[in-house]
Amino acid sequence: MGKKTLKLAVFTAVLGLVLYMEGMFAPAYAYHARYTMLLALAGVFWISDFVSGSEALTISGPAKLMLSLVMRFLLAIIVAVVFVFAFKADTRVFAVNFGGVYLSFLGFEIYSLLTNFRTASKNAGIDETDDHIKV
């Protein structure tokens, strides 16, 4: 299991705990299939990371990042449509729960990208305080 996959699994477990607490303290706002939705979105994020990290892709850099973002968004929309039709529920409760979980995963992805870019800039010899390259 890769380091990024392990981080995603831990984040999903923490988010599952938050959803469990939401069901305990605010049951009116808890979506009944929230754990299934959580696992589906974790799968979407894992698939997009797997595809964007694939060696078979001939594109690189920002184009690969944009492909990953667009693919993740489209897959999340498909998951949302499936959930709306498969699990008949109040659409407002679903929208709030889905939006919260999706934005949480998106925040995790942004955090992961920033830490990767910071590590890459340190390895390249970029001083973050002076915004210039060390010689």
Side-chain angles (χ1 to χ4, degrees):
M1 185 181 302
K3 188 175 182 181
K4 194 169 187 177
T5 303
L6 183 62
K7 286 181 181 179
L8 182 64
V10 169
F11 180 75
T12 303
V14 169
L15 198 54
L17 182 63
V18 169
L19 288 177
Y20 175 75
M21 290 173 39
E22 175 196 24
M24 285 177 51
F25 296 115
Y29 297 107
Y31 182 60
H32 69 279
R34 60 189 173 273
Y35 301 117
T36 309
M37 178 183 61
L38 175 70
L39 291 177
L41 283 176
V44 164
F45 275 74
W46 184 81
I47 288 169
S48 68
D49 284 340
F50 181 76
V51 169
S52 68
S54 174
E55 302 283 327
L57 289 177
T58 57
I59 58 175
S60 64
K64 191 180 267 192
L65 178 64
M66 287 304 296
L67 172 70
S68 173
L69 291 172
V70 169
M71 184 176 67
R72 183 177 303 127
F73 180 72
L74 292 176
L75 286 174
I77 294 292
I78 291 169
V79 166
V81 168
V82 167
F83 268 81
V84 166
F85 289 115
F87 301 104
K88 305 287 186 203
D90 185 17
T91 54
R92 290 180 186 168
V93 172
F94 170 75
V96 167
N97 280 264
F98 186 84
V101 171
Y102 182 78
L103 289 177
S104 297
F105 274 113
L106 200 58
F108 171 75
E109 184 67 27
I110 290 170
Y111 174 76
S112 297
L113 285 173
L114 288 176
T115 57
N116 288 343
F117 289 150
R118 183 170 185 224
T119 304
S121 70
K122 282 185 177 182
N123 291 341
I126 298 173
D127 185 10
E128 295 173 359
T129 58
D130 294 334
D131 293 333
H132 69 281
I133 299 174
K134 292 181 183 179
V135 181

